[in-house]
mmCIF file of all heavy atoms in Angstrom:
data_model
loop_
_atom_site.group_PDB
_atom_site.id
_atom_site.type_symbol
_atom_site.label_atom_id
_atom_site.label_comp_id
_atom_site.label_asym_id
_atom_site.label_seq_id
_atom_site.Cartn_x
_atom_site.Cartn_y
_atom_site.Cartn_z
ATOM 1 N N ALA A 25 94.191 -22.618 174.095
ATOM 2 C CA ALA A 25 92.869 -22.211 173.675
ATOM 3 C C ALA A 25 91.736 -22.670 174.462
ATOM 4 O O ALA A 25 91.765 -23.855 174.925
ATOM 5 C CB ALA A 25 92.784 -22.510 172.139
ATOM 6 N N GLN A 26 90.672 -21.866 174.618
ATOM 7 C CA GLN A 26 89.504 -22.361 175.328
ATOM 8 C C GLN A 26 88.892 -23.509 174.557
ATOM 9 O O GLN A 26 88.695 -23.492 173.428
ATOM 10 C CB GLN A 26 88.547 -21.164 175.597
ATOM 11 C CG GLN A 26 89.234 -20.231 176.685
ATOM 12 C CD GLN A 26 89.409 -20.744 177.973
ATOM 13 O OE1 GLN A 26 88.698 -21.565 178.415
ATOM 14 N NE2 GLN A 26 90.435 -20.240 178.647
ATOM 15 N N ALA A 27 88.397 -24.407 175.257
ATOM 16 C CA ALA A 27 87.625 -25.528 174.668
ATOM 17 C C ALA A 27 86.312 -24.951 174.075
ATOM 18 O O ALA A 27 85.656 -24.285 174.750
ATOM 19 C CB ALA A 27 87.380 -26.607 175.589
ATOM 20 N N LYS A 28 85.983 -25.411 172.928
ATOM 21 C CA LYS A 28 84.779 -24.990 172.285
ATOM 22 C C LYS A 28 83.632 -25.772 172.793
ATOM 23 O O LYS A 28 83.722 -27.001 172.988
ATOM 24 C CB LYS A 28 84.874 -25.253 170.802
ATOM 25 C CG LYS A 28 85.837 -24.187 170.122
ATOM 26 C CD LYS A 28 85.731 -24.354 168.634
ATOM 27 C CE LYS A 28 86.695 -23.399 168.000
ATOM 28 N NZ LYS A 28 86.654 -23.533 166.474
ATOM 29 N N SER A 29 82.447 -25.081 172.900
ATOM 30 C CA SER A 29 81.304 -25.826 173.340
ATOM 31 C C SER A 29 80.809 -26.721 172.136
ATOM 32 O O SER A 29 81.172 -26.431 170.964
ATOM 33 C CB SER A 29 80.121 -24.904 173.778
ATOM 34 O OG SER A 29 79.675 -24.129 172.617
ATOM 35 N N LEU A 30 79.863 -27.618 172.431
ATOM 36 C CA LEU A 30 79.239 -28.330 171.337
ATOM 37 C C LEU A 30 78.578 -27.534 170.264
ATOM 38 O O LEU A 30 78.589 -27.761 169.046
ATOM 39 C CB LEU A 30 78.307 -29.398 171.980
ATOM 40 C CG LEU A 30 77.754 -30.424 170.977
ATOM 41 C CD1 LEU A 30 78.746 -31.199 170.332
ATOM 42 C CD2 LEU A 30 76.606 -31.258 171.821
ATOM 43 N N GLY A 31 77.866 -26.508 170.756
ATOM 44 C CA GLY A 31 77.211 -25.642 169.881
ATOM 45 C C GLY A 31 78.117 -24.899 168.908
ATOM 46 O O GLY A 31 77.926 -24.701 167.791
ATOM 47 N N GLU A 32 79.288 -24.353 169.472
ATOM 48 C CA GLU A 32 80.248 -23.743 168.624
ATOM 49 C C GLU A 32 80.943 -24.712 167.590
ATOM 50 O O GLU A 32 81.167 -24.298 166.516
ATOM 51 C CB GLU A 32 81.285 -23.187 169.544
ATOM 52 C CG GLU A 32 80.862 -21.890 170.327
ATOM 53 C CD GLU A 32 81.891 -21.479 171.345
ATOM 54 O OE1 GLU A 32 82.743 -22.380 171.791
ATOM 55 O OE2 GLU A 32 81.898 -20.322 171.793
ATOM 56 N N LYS A 33 81.152 -25.938 168.109
ATOM 57 C CA LYS A 33 81.678 -26.856 167.058
ATOM 58 C C LYS A 33 80.574 -27.257 166.052
ATOM 59 O O LYS A 33 81.036 -27.293 164.802
ATOM 60 C CB LYS A 33 81.920 -28.332 167.829
ATOM 61 C CG LYS A 33 83.184 -28.109 168.717
ATOM 62 C CD LYS A 33 83.461 -29.430 169.469
ATOM 63 C CE LYS A 33 84.672 -29.360 170.403
ATOM 64 N NZ LYS A 33 84.812 -30.627 171.158
ATOM 65 N N ALA A 34 79.399 -27.375 166.252
ATOM 66 C CA ALA A 34 78.323 -27.581 165.388
ATOM 67 C C ALA A 34 78.142 -26.510 164.402
ATOM 68 O O ALA A 34 78.045 -26.661 163.153
ATOM 69 C CB ALA A 34 76.932 -27.868 166.064
ATOM 70 N N GLN A 35 78.279 -25.334 164.834
ATOM 71 C CA GLN A 35 78.195 -24.067 164.064
ATOM 72 C C GLN A 35 79.368 -24.005 163.054
ATOM 73 O O GLN A 35 79.186 -23.703 161.845
ATOM 74 C CB GLN A 35 78.129 -22.810 164.820
ATOM 75 C CG GLN A 35 76.790 -22.450 165.496
ATOM 76 C CD GLN A 35 76.782 -21.364 166.321
ATOM 77 O OE1 GLN A 35 77.860 -20.728 166.740
ATOM 78 N NE2 GLN A 35 75.614 -20.875 166.715
ATOM 79 N N GLY A 36 80.466 -24.355 163.561
ATOM 80 C CA GLY A 36 81.697 -24.388 162.715
ATOM 81 C C GLY A 36 81.618 -25.413 161.616
ATOM 82 O O GLY A 36 81.919 -25.234 160.347
ATOM 83 N N ALA A 37 81.125 -26.563 161.955
ATOM 84 C CA ALA A 37 80.927 -27.713 160.994
ATOM 85 C C ALA A 37 79.917 -27.434 159.938
ATOM 86 O O ALA A 37 80.068 -27.627 158.744
ATOM 87 C CB ALA A 37 80.550 -29.013 161.729
ATOM 88 N N ALA A 38 78.772 -26.604 160.360
ATOM 89 C CA ALA A 38 77.738 -26.318 159.391
ATOM 90 C C ALA A 38 78.265 -25.351 158.541
ATOM 91 O O ALA A 38 77.810 -25.437 157.307
ATOM 92 C CB ALA A 38 76.444 -25.895 160.296
ATOM 93 N N LYS A 39 79.059 -24.375 158.955
ATOM 94 C CA LYS A 39 79.542 -23.259 158.123
ATOM 95 C C LYS A 39 80.537 -23.843 157.091
ATOM 96 O O LYS A 39 80.487 -23.569 155.904
ATOM 97 C CB LYS A 39 80.257 -22.243 158.912
ATOM 98 C CG LYS A 39 80.744 -21.129 157.985
ATOM 99 C CD LYS A 39 81.342 -20.018 158.861
ATOM 100 C CE LYS A 39 81.979 -18.773 158.006
ATOM 101 N NZ LYS A 39 81.891 -18.852 156.634
ATOM 102 N N ALA A 40 81.362 -24.779 157.505
ATOM 103 C CA ALA A 40 82.277 -25.496 156.596
ATOM 104 C C ALA A 40 81.500 -26.279 155.538
ATOM 105 O O ALA A 40 81.838 -26.209 154.369
ATOM 106 C CB ALA A 40 83.144 -26.354 157.314
ATOM 107 N N ALA A 41 80.496 -26.906 155.994
ATOM 108 C CA ALA A 41 79.731 -27.681 155.026
ATOM 109 C C ALA A 41 78.999 -26.880 153.939
ATOM 110 O O ALA A 41 78.995 -27.066 152.841
ATOM 111 C CB ALA A 41 78.711 -28.604 155.832
ATOM 112 N N THR A 42 78.387 -25.746 154.474
ATOM 113 C CA THR A 42 77.797 -24.777 153.606
ATOM 114 C C THR A 42 78.685 -24.196 152.614
ATOM 115 O O THR A 42 78.422 -24.096 151.326
ATOM 116 C CB THR A 42 77.117 -23.667 154.469
ATOM 117 O OG1 THR A 42 76.230 -24.234 155.377
ATOM 118 C CG2 THR A 42 76.438 -22.629 153.586
ATOM 119 N N ASP A 43 79.900 -23.897 153.066
ATOM 120 C CA ASP A 43 80.884 -23.241 151.996
ATOM 121 C C ASP A 43 81.264 -24.353 151.001
ATOM 122 O O ASP A 43 81.392 -24.032 149.765
ATOM 123 C CB ASP A 43 82.213 -22.849 152.873
ATOM 124 C CG ASP A 43 81.936 -21.702 153.760
ATOM 125 O OD1 ASP A 43 80.905 -20.999 153.574
ATOM 126 O OD2 ASP A 43 82.667 -21.454 154.658
ATOM 127 N N LYS A 44 81.463 -25.638 151.355
ATOM 128 C CA LYS A 44 81.765 -26.684 150.418
ATOM 129 C C LYS A 44 80.536 -26.944 149.382
ATOM 130 O O LYS A 44 80.832 -27.038 148.232
ATOM 131 C CB LYS A 44 82.070 -28.005 151.186
ATOM 132 C CG LYS A 44 83.344 -27.980 151.877
ATOM 133 C CD LYS A 44 84.487 -27.938 150.991
ATOM 134 C CE LYS A 44 85.804 -28.013 151.686
ATOM 135 N NZ LYS A 44 86.972 -27.956 150.950
ATOM 136 N N VAL A 45 79.376 -26.841 149.957
ATOM 137 C CA VAL A 45 78.179 -27.025 149.154
ATOM 138 C C VAL A 45 78.070 -25.817 148.075
ATOM 139 O O VAL A 45 77.839 -26.078 146.871
ATOM 140 C CB VAL A 45 76.884 -27.257 149.899
ATOM 141 C CG1 VAL A 45 75.689 -27.098 148.911
ATOM 142 C CG2 VAL A 45 76.907 -28.549 150.561
ATOM 143 N N LYS A 46 78.344 -24.644 148.550
ATOM 144 C CA LYS A 46 78.358 -23.514 147.645
ATOM 145 C C LYS A 46 79.393 -23.584 146.557
ATOM 146 O O LYS A 46 79.229 -23.070 145.481
ATOM 147 C CB LYS A 46 78.424 -22.206 148.332
ATOM 148 C CG LYS A 46 77.237 -21.891 149.159
ATOM 149 C CD LYS A 46 77.396 -20.493 149.913
ATOM 150 C CE LYS A 46 76.169 -20.182 150.754
ATOM 151 N NZ LYS A 46 76.313 -18.988 151.503
ATOM 152 N N GLY A 47 80.561 -24.174 146.908
ATOM 153 C CA GLY A 47 81.643 -24.371 146.032
ATOM 154 C C GLY A 47 81.474 -25.432 144.942
ATOM 155 O O GLY A 47 81.947 -25.372 143.866
ATOM 156 N N HIS A 48 80.745 -26.438 145.339
ATOM 157 C CA HIS A 48 80.657 -27.699 144.518
ATOM 158 C C HIS A 48 79.203 -28.164 144.538
ATOM 159 O O HIS A 48 78.865 -29.168 145.124
ATOM 160 C CB HIS A 48 81.521 -28.790 144.989
ATOM 161 C CG HIS A 48 82.978 -28.418 145.037
ATOM 162 N ND1 HIS A 48 83.757 -28.229 144.014
ATOM 163 C CD2 HIS A 48 83.793 -27.974 146.174
ATOM 164 C CE1 HIS A 48 84.964 -27.880 144.346
ATOM 165 N NE2 HIS A 48 85.039 -27.789 145.635
ATOM 166 N N PRO A 49 78.234 -27.376 144.019
ATOM 167 C CA PRO A 49 76.805 -27.759 144.050
ATOM 168 C C PRO A 49 76.481 -29.012 143.507
ATOM 169 O O PRO A 49 75.622 -29.800 143.962
ATOM 170 C CB PRO A 49 76.047 -26.611 143.490
ATOM 171 C CG PRO A 49 77.036 -25.990 142.529
ATOM 172 C CD PRO A 49 78.363 -26.198 143.225
ATOM 173 N N TYR A 50 77.056 -29.393 142.294
ATOM 174 C CA TYR A 50 76.588 -30.685 141.592
ATOM 175 C C TYR A 50 77.088 -31.977 142.423
ATOM 176 O O TYR A 50 76.458 -32.918 142.500
ATOM 177 C CB TYR A 50 77.167 -30.625 140.255
ATOM 178 C CG TYR A 50 76.392 -29.600 139.340
ATOM 179 C CD1 TYR A 50 77.093 -28.583 138.801
ATOM 180 C CD2 TYR A 50 75.176 -29.780 139.068
ATOM 181 C CE1 TYR A 50 76.470 -27.658 138.084
ATOM 182 C CE2 TYR A 50 74.433 -28.892 138.322
ATOM 183 C CZ TYR A 50 75.038 -27.783 137.776
ATOM 184 O OH TYR A 50 74.503 -26.828 136.990
ATOM 185 N N ALA A 51 78.325 -31.749 142.946
ATOM 186 C CA ALA A 51 78.878 -32.811 143.639
ATOM 187 C C ALA A 51 78.061 -33.022 144.970
ATOM 188 O O ALA A 51 77.755 -34.216 145.422
ATOM 189 C CB ALA A 51 80.385 -32.598 144.076
ATOM 190 N N ALA A 52 77.627 -31.926 145.548
ATOM 191 C CA ALA A 52 76.812 -32.092 146.771
ATOM 192 C C ALA A 52 75.405 -32.651 146.400
ATOM 193 O O ALA A 52 74.980 -33.530 147.196
ATOM 194 C CB ALA A 52 76.655 -30.684 147.414
ATOM 195 N N ALA A 53 74.829 -32.305 145.328
ATOM 196 C CA ALA A 53 73.551 -32.927 144.944
ATOM 197 C C ALA A 53 73.731 -34.352 144.660
ATOM 198 O O ALA A 53 72.884 -35.266 145.032
ATOM 199 C CB ALA A 53 73.001 -32.223 143.662
ATOM 200 N N GLY A 54 74.812 -34.755 144.012
ATOM 201 C CA GLY A 54 75.061 -36.259 143.758
ATOM 202 C C GLY A 54 75.260 -37.034 145.018
ATOM 203 O O GLY A 54 74.738 -38.175 145.112
ATOM 204 N N ILE A 55 76.006 -36.410 145.909
ATOM 205 C CA ILE A 55 76.100 -37.100 147.340
ATOM 206 C C ILE A 55 74.788 -37.264 148.016
ATOM 207 O O ILE A 55 74.472 -38.300 148.511
ATOM 208 C CB ILE A 55 77.211 -36.439 148.197
ATOM 209 C CG1 ILE A 55 78.664 -36.451 147.506
ATOM 210 C CG2 ILE A 55 77.209 -36.961 149.541
ATOM 211 C CD1 ILE A 55 79.600 -35.600 148.091
ATOM 212 N N ALA A 56 73.990 -36.260 148.013
ATOM 213 C CA ALA A 56 72.744 -36.233 148.594
ATOM 214 C C ALA A 56 71.817 -37.289 147.995
ATOM 215 O O ALA A 56 71.061 -38.011 148.682
ATOM 216 C CB ALA A 56 72.025 -34.891 148.543
ATOM 217 N N ALA A 57 71.836 -37.383 146.668
ATOM 218 C CA ALA A 57 71.011 -38.405 145.899
ATOM 219 C C ALA A 57 71.549 -39.776 146.296
ATOM 220 O O ALA A 57 70.681 -40.740 146.457
ATOM 221 C CB ALA A 57 71.097 -38.070 144.381
ATOM 222 N N GLY A 58 72.800 -40.011 146.327
ATOM 223 C CA GLY A 58 73.300 -41.331 146.736
ATOM 224 C C GLY A 58 72.887 -41.741 148.122
ATOM 225 O O GLY A 58 72.608 -42.893 148.307
ATOM 226 N N VAL A 59 72.966 -40.768 148.955
ATOM 227 C CA VAL A 59 72.523 -41.127 150.485
ATOM 228 C C VAL A 59 71.129 -41.462 150.508
ATOM 229 O O VAL A 59 70.674 -42.361 151.178
ATOM 230 C CB VAL A 59 73.014 -39.900 151.334
ATOM 231 C CG1 VAL A 59 72.400 -40.003 152.729
ATOM 232 C CG2 VAL A 59 74.425 -39.790 151.509
ATOM 233 N N ALA A 60 70.328 -40.629 149.714
ATOM 234 C CA ALA A 60 68.905 -40.932 149.738
ATOM 235 C C ALA A 60 68.545 -42.292 149.292
ATOM 236 O O ALA A 60 67.693 -42.950 149.770
ATOM 237 C CB ALA A 60 68.078 -39.771 148.945
ATOM 238 N N ALA A 61 69.297 -42.711 148.204
ATOM 239 C CA ALA A 61 69.158 -43.981 147.549
ATOM 240 C C ALA A 61 69.435 -45.045 148.540
ATOM 241 O O ALA A 61 68.827 -46.151 148.530
ATOM 242 C CB ALA A 61 69.814 -44.044 146.221
ATOM 243 N N ALA A 62 70.530 -44.804 149.261
ATOM 244 C CA ALA A 62 71.032 -45.898 150.163
ATOM 245 C C ALA A 62 70.041 -46.054 151.310
ATOM 246 O O ALA A 62 69.758 -47.096 151.673
ATOM 247 C CB ALA A 62 72.386 -45.454 150.621
ATOM 248 N N VAL A 63 69.545 -44.878 151.831
ATOM 249 C CA VAL A 63 68.566 -45.047 152.926
ATOM 250 C C VAL A 63 67.199 -45.604 152.405
ATOM 251 O O VAL A 63 66.670 -46.544 153.128
ATOM 252 C CB VAL A 63 68.300 -43.659 153.464
ATOM 253 C CG1 VAL A 63 67.120 -43.599 154.440
ATOM 254 C CG2 VAL A 63 69.506 -43.097 154.193
ATOM 255 N N ALA A 64 66.902 -45.307 151.200
ATOM 256 C CA ALA A 64 65.623 -45.892 150.649
ATOM 257 C C ALA A 64 65.759 -47.393 150.478
ATOM 258 O O ALA A 64 64.888 -48.207 150.756
ATOM 259 C CB ALA A 64 65.177 -45.136 149.345
ATOM 260 N N GLY A 65 66.872 -47.798 149.842
ATOM 261 C CA GLY A 65 67.230 -49.214 149.796
ATOM 262 C C GLY A 65 67.226 -50.014 150.988
ATOM 263 O O GLY A 65 66.724 -51.063 151.062
ATOM 264 N N ALA A 66 67.799 -49.456 152.002
ATOM 265 C CA ALA A 66 67.828 -50.004 153.391
ATOM 266 C C ALA A 66 66.479 -50.211 153.924
ATOM 267 O O ALA A 66 66.151 -51.231 154.488
ATOM 268 C CB ALA A 66 68.769 -49.378 154.313
ATOM 269 N N ALA A 67 65.699 -49.140 153.861
ATOM 270 C CA ALA A 67 64.428 -49.210 154.327
ATOM 271 C C ALA A 67 63.497 -50.281 153.556
ATOM 272 O O ALA A 67 62.682 -51.047 154.163
ATOM 273 C CB ALA A 67 63.686 -47.845 154.199
ATOM 274 N N PHE A 68 63.707 -50.423 152.251
ATOM 275 C CA PHE A 68 62.926 -51.341 151.430
ATOM 276 C C PHE A 68 63.309 -52.845 151.850
ATOM 277 O O PHE A 68 62.475 -53.577 152.084
ATOM 278 C CB PHE A 68 63.210 -51.103 149.986
ATOM 279 C CG PHE A 68 62.609 -52.045 149.091
ATOM 280 C CD1 PHE A 68 61.160 -52.054 148.880
ATOM 281 C CD2 PHE A 68 63.256 -53.080 148.589
ATOM 282 C CE1 PHE A 68 60.541 -53.002 147.980
ATOM 283 C CE2 PHE A 68 62.694 -54.108 147.641
ATOM 284 C CZ PHE A 68 61.261 -53.966 147.472
ATOM 285 N N GLY A 69 64.673 -52.971 152.046
ATOM 286 C CA GLY A 69 65.081 -54.187 152.331
ATOM 287 C C GLY A 69 64.729 -54.722 153.826
ATOM 288 O O GLY A 69 64.227 -55.757 153.973
#
């Protein structure tokens, strides 16, 4: 198989992530909130 370019890999990853978020919106929102809290805590520290 031909090697995929970085753009093609990124598009594939974005599509897979979008499909997962559409399938599990509450889990995705919880993960996003946790990441935001972790980043805010690190910035505060």
Side-chain angles (χ1 to χ4, degrees):
Q26 293 295 323
K28 291 184 178 181
S29 71
L30 183 60
E32 290 172 336
K33 289 179 184 179
Q35 285 178 344
K39 181 171 178 5
T42 301
D43 292 343
K44 290 290 183 184
V45 168
K46 286 181 180 179
H48 305 284
Y50 292 114
I55 291 169
V59 168
V63 169
F68 178 76

